[in-house]
């Protein structure tokens, strides 16, 4: 009997059906990258702000002051008395009440009181020129509370981490498309709640949940696309990541046009509800159905794929022999129980961690230009596009391992050179750092594809999600104090380790753990696929 891949070839490996599903699911990359990077604009600097004297709000309303007038009454006397303070994190230790004068509220303290009055730290009373522009002004994340902005991004990464484990497991047990749709619904609902959070605690709780569901949409859509195309078309996984980059490029335009953080939050969250319409146009992965002993449903979907692609399956495709291997409750032990699976898992986990750490480290430390936040962010996304095109024109010719290794090695060299370049030649420093950014982006994009190709269908979504969870740990672990030399060492080690992985160019996706264990035997010295393959999971 023919194998699944042979049936897929007859039904069309990348016909009209796959192109439609690919385009629809690729939109997930735009919304996920917007969520991933949204803190840049949700938490942008609030502009001028100052510490309000207790009672200032009531007095300002009674006197009809503008924000500028209130700031002048509050801050100017403080600056005249002490030039070393800014008026943002400290104030004069006075209180305004109903007896204060609208023209000279500090008058009763005496002409020299501003210079001699003691100072008090600011606690929960600030005034902002743009009070609704960002979560910084909304929840007073300034001065002693400034660290909470970083906390909000760490919480999002923790949500990604939870989503990798929980929803990765669920997608392998209950189905790809079901978890994808539930995740889209969760992202949309949590995004709305985040936009209207009454306090910072509620904001953090639902930002965590939005991150969890967001990771579910991204990883599941990637696996679905990988499983419905032929072995020669799995490069579409790289193209999906171009949509991730498009999201990075589009985000500053959205932020520029929408003046409030609530509007930005809604703009990146509401499109997820549109993805619920995919229920009627994106079917369950037939590969996954085969592992769940649902051969009739898988065959029905294969016939539908053939029909949409203008082809017809042979009449003798009427029986399905299911693989004897079924993993109903996937766990980490399933990923490390056998030698090849164990080696693949440990190397991929390290590669995910390293790629995320270096990628975010270069983004945070080495900006391309300075001054304009929107333009700076746009360019930081645009420089990633050449990476995807380089992968597309090389990987089908030379395989996966060499670009994977070279991306890490070149990034390692670039980080090392950048660390020792003098500050007085910024153009050279920027050029080398940009080369490092391009190289680590190549490694980052290849690890997605290789990860999905090195796990069997029974464990694919869980394996990809679990390994990619190290990416979220890398995002949490990154600190500006980490020297570039550390990045260089980590990338060099990763470049050597990935050479130990099997070459996956041109092979059929493994259906079982046994298939994974036999991957090395599928290749000669030049990485060519051999003809032998076990007859598991057939139609």
């Amino acid at each position: 009997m023919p194998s699944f891949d042979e049936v897929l070839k007859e039904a069309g490996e990348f016909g009209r059906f796959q192109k439609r599903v690919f385009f629809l699911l690729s939109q997930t990359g735009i919304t996920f990258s917007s969520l991933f990077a949204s803190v840049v604009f949700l938490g942008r600097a609030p502009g001028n702000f100052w510490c309000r004297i207790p009672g200032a709000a009531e007095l300002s309303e009674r006197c009809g002051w503008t924000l500028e007038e209130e700031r002048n009454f509050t801050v100017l006397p403080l600056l005249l008395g002490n030039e070393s303070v800014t008026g943002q994190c400290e104030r004069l230790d006075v209180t305004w009440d109903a007896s204060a004068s609208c023209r000279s509220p500090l008058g009763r303290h005496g002409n020299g009181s501003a210079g001699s009055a003691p100072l008090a730290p600011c606690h929960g009373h600030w005034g902002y020129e743009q009070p609704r522009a960002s979560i910084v002004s909304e929840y007073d994340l300034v001065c002693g509370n400034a660290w909470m902005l970083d906390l909000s991004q760490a919480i999002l990464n923790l949500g990604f981490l939870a989503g990798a484990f929980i929803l990765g497991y669920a997608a392998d047990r209950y189905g790809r498309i079901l978890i994808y749709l539930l995740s889209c619904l969760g992202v949309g609902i949590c995004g709305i709640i985040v936009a209207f959070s009454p306090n910072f605690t509620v904001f953090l709780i639902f930002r965590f949940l939005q991150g969890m569901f967001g990771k579910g949409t991204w990883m599941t859509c990637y696996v679905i696309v990988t499983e419905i195309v032929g072995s020669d078309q799995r490069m579409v996984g790289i193209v999906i990541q171009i949509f991730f980059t498009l999201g990075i490029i589009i985000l500053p335009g959205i932020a520029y046009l929408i003046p409030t953080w609530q509007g930005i939050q809604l703009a990146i969250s509401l499109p997820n509800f549109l993805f619920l319409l995919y229920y009627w146009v994106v079917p369950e992965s037939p590969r996954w159905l085969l592992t769940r002993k649902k051969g009739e449903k898988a065959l029905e979907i294969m016939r539908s794929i053939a029909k949409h692609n203008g082809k017809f399956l042979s009449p003798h495709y009427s029986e399905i022999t299911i693989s004897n291997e079924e993993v109903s409750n996937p766990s980490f032990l399933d990923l490390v129980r056998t030698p090849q699976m164990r080696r693949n898992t440990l190397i991929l986990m390290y590669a995910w961690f390293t790629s995320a750490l270096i990628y975010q480290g270069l983004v945070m430390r080495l900006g391309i230009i300075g001054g304009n936040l929107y333009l700076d962010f746009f360019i930081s996304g645009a420089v990633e596009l050449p990476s995807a095109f380089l992968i597309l024109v090389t990987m089908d010719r030379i395989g996966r391992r060499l670009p994977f290794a070279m991306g890490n090695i070149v990034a390692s060299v670039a980080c090392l050179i950048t660390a020792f370049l003098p500050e007085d030649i910024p153009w050279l420093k920027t050029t080398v750092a940009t080369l490092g950014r391009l190289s680590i982006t190549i490694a980052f994009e290849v690890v997605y594809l290789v990860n999905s190709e090195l796990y069997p269908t029974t464990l694919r979504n869980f394996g990809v999600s679990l390994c990619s969870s190290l990416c979220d740990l890398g995002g949490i672990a990154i600190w500006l104090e980490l020297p570039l030399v550390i990045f260089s060492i980590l990338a060099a080690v990763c470049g050597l380790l990935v050479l130990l992985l099997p070459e996956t160019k041109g092979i059929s996706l493994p259906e079982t753990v046994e298939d994974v264990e036999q991957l090395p035997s599928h290749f000669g010295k030049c990485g060519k696929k051999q003809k032998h393959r076990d007859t598991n999971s057939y139609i």
Side-chain angles (χ1 to χ4, degrees):
M1 293 199 180
S3 69
F4 174 83
D5 289 288
E6 290 171 336
V7 175
L8 180 62
K9 187 173 184 179
E10 186 166 331
E13 294 182 299
F14 195 60
R16 184 185 308 166
F17 174 86
Q18 285 95 337
K19 291 175 182 177
R20 182 187 68 187
V21 171
F22 162 74
F23 177 77
L24 292 175
L25 291 178
S26 292
Q27 309 308 310
T28 309
I30 297 177
T31 56
F32 180 71
S33 64
S34 298
L35 172 62
F36 176 81
S38 60
V39 70
V40 174
F41 298 101
L42 296 181
R44 59 191 169 188
N48 290 328
F49 67 95
W50 63 94
C51 185
R52 304 182 82 174
I53 293 176
E58 294 78 5
L59 185 60
S60 180
E61 183 178 358
R62 177 168 68 84
C63 297
W65 291 340
T66 63
L67 285 175
E68 183 179 359
E69 287 173 330
E70 180 188 328
R71 181 174 181 273
N72 289 339
F73 282 126
T74 303
V75 178
L76 285 182
L78 184 65
L79 297 179
L80 292 174
N82 191 338
E83 296 181 357
S84 64
V85 299
T86 63
Q88 295 181 333
C89 300
E90 61 284 305
R91 61 174 177 80
L92 292 173
D93 193 11
V94 299
T95 300
W96 285 340
D97 53 30
S99 63
S101 168
C102 290
R103 292 188 176 183
S104 181
L106 293 174
R108 62 194 179 110
H109 296 280
N111 294 332
S113 61
S116 58
L119 298 179
C122 202
H123 294 294
H125 297 281
W126 283 275
Y128 303 91
E129 283 188 348
Q130 300 174 318
R132 309 287 290 184
S134 75
I135 61 173
V136 173
S137 54
E138 181 76 23
Y139 302 115
D140 291 330
L141 307 184
V142 294
C143 299
N145 297 332
W147 63 273
M148 294 183 180
L149 180 61
D150 294 330
L151 175 64
S152 71
Q153 186 65 10
I155 289 294
L156 181 69
N157 277 287
L158 285 175
F160 291 155
L161 185 63
F165 283 95
I166 297 173
L167 298 178
Y169 163 82
D172 276 335
R173 183 171 186 183
Y174 302 109
R176 317 304 199 208
I177 194 63
L178 173 63
I179 298 305
Y180 174 80
L181 294 173
L182 289 176
S183 296
C184 290
L185 180 63
V187 172
I189 293 175
C190 293
I192 293 175
I193 297 176
V194 166
F196 298 102
S197 298
N199 54 63
F200 192 59
T201 300
V202 174
F203 176 90
L204 290 180
I205 291 173
F206 284 93
R207 185 161 170 80
F208 169 86
L209 293 174
Q210 191 177 23
M212 183 182 74
F213 287 118
K215 190 60 175 281
T217 65
W218 175 237
M219 299 309 303
T220 307
C221 86
Y222 191 92
V223 170
I224 291 174
V225 171
T226 303
E227 291 184 339
I228 64 171
V229 300
S231 60
D232 293 332
Q233 286 76 36
R234 290 200 299 270
M235 292 295 292
V236 296
I238 300 298
V239 183
I240 286 182
Q241 294 173 71
I242 294 179
F243 283 82
F244 182 95
T245 300
L246 287 177
I248 296 291
I249 294 174
I250 293 171
L251 181 59
I254 295 175
Y256 182 80
L257 294 174
I258 301 177
T260 65
W261 75 268
Q262 289 96 338
I264 298 172
Q265 173 66 21
L266 292 175
I268 65 177
S269 301
L270 293 180
N272 285 276
F273 289 116
L274 296 177
F275 299 155
L276 298 178
L277 298 175
Y278 293 177
Y279 174 81
W280 289 277
V281 291
V282 179
E284 182 55 84
S285 165
R287 288 185 187 272
W288 177 83
L289 288 169
L290 287 175
T291 68
R292 308 302 295 186
K293 301 187 182 301
K294 298 180 180 180
E296 293 183 2
K297 180 63 176 177
L299 182 57
E300 180 184 338
I301 292 174
M302 293 304 297
R303 286 174 175 156
S304 177
I305 292 175
K307 180 180 179 180
H308 281 87
N309 289 342
K311 299 190 177 185
F312 182 75
L313 292 185
S314 300
H316 67 273
Y317 294 157
S318 58
E319 295 182 10
I320 295 182
T321 302
I322 304 297
S323 165
N324 292 327
E325 177 178 288
E326 179 180 357
V327 181
S328 59
N329 296 290
S331 70
F332 178 73
L333 291 178
D334 296 311
L335 304 182
V336 296
R337 184 171 286 118
T338 56
Q340 184 66 68
M341 286 282 289
R342 180 164 55 249
R343 180 169 61 181
N344 293 348
T345 297
L346 296 178
I347 292 176
L348 288 169
M349 290 174 73
Y350 179 80
W352 275 105
F353 177 82
T354 301
S355 297
L357 191 69
I358 298 173
Y359 175 85
Q360 295 192 43
L362 289 176
V363 170
M364 293 169 64
R365 294 180 61 122
L366 303 166
I368 297 185
I369 61 174
N372 190 309
L373 173 63
Y374 305 98
L375 183 60
D376 191 13
F377 196 82
F378 172 82
I379 293 178
S380 74
V383 298
E384 295 183 13
L385 289 177
S387 301
F389 291 114
L390 283 173
I391 295 172
L392 291 174
V393 300
T394 59
M395 282 185 61
D396 272 342
R397 293 177 173 85
I398 64 176
R400 276 58 159 156
R401 285 187 301 181
L402 187 57
F404 198 179
M406 290 305 298
N408 281 284
I409 295 298
V410 174
S412 172
V413 174
C415 288
L416 188 63
I417 294 175
T418 304
F420 293 101
L421 284 176
E423 297 292 340
D424 56 356
I425 45 175
W427 66 269
L428 181 58
K429 200 176 186 75
T430 297
T431 301
V432 177
T434 301
L435 177 62
R437 172 82 178 272
L438 289 172
S439 301
I440 201 62
T441 299
I442 289 176
F444 214 160
E445 293 180 351
V446 174
V447 72
Y448 273 97
L449 180 62
V450 172
N451 203 159
S452 64
E453 292 179 329
L454 286 177
Y455 281 115
T457 303
T458 51
L459 293 166
R460 184 167 295 118
N461 210 107
F462 180 71
V464 172
S465 298
L466 187 141
C467 289
S468 68
S469 68
L470 272 292
C471 164
D472 306 318
L473 285 179
I476 296 171
I478 180 67
W479 294 101
L480 291 180
E481 289 75 11
L482 281 177
L484 288 171
V485 174
I486 299 295
F487 292 164
S488 178
I489 296 172
L490 291 173
V493 173
C494 186
L496 296 175
L497 287 176
V498 298
L499 292 174
L500 301 177
L501 294 173
E503 176 57 67
T504 55
K505 174 181 175 291
I507 71 167
S508 300
L509 283 178
E511 306 294 346
T512 66
V513 171
E514 185 179 356
D515 290 340
V516 176
E517 292 303 307
Q518 294 181 358
L519 278 178
S521 65
H522 289 198
F523 301 93
K525 287 186 177 180
C526 296
K528 294 181 180 179
K529 182 182 174 183
Q530 295 183 356
K531 293 182 179 179
H532 173 71
R533 180 182 175 90
D534 282 355
T535 55
N536 289 325
S537 187
Y538 290 107
I539 292 180

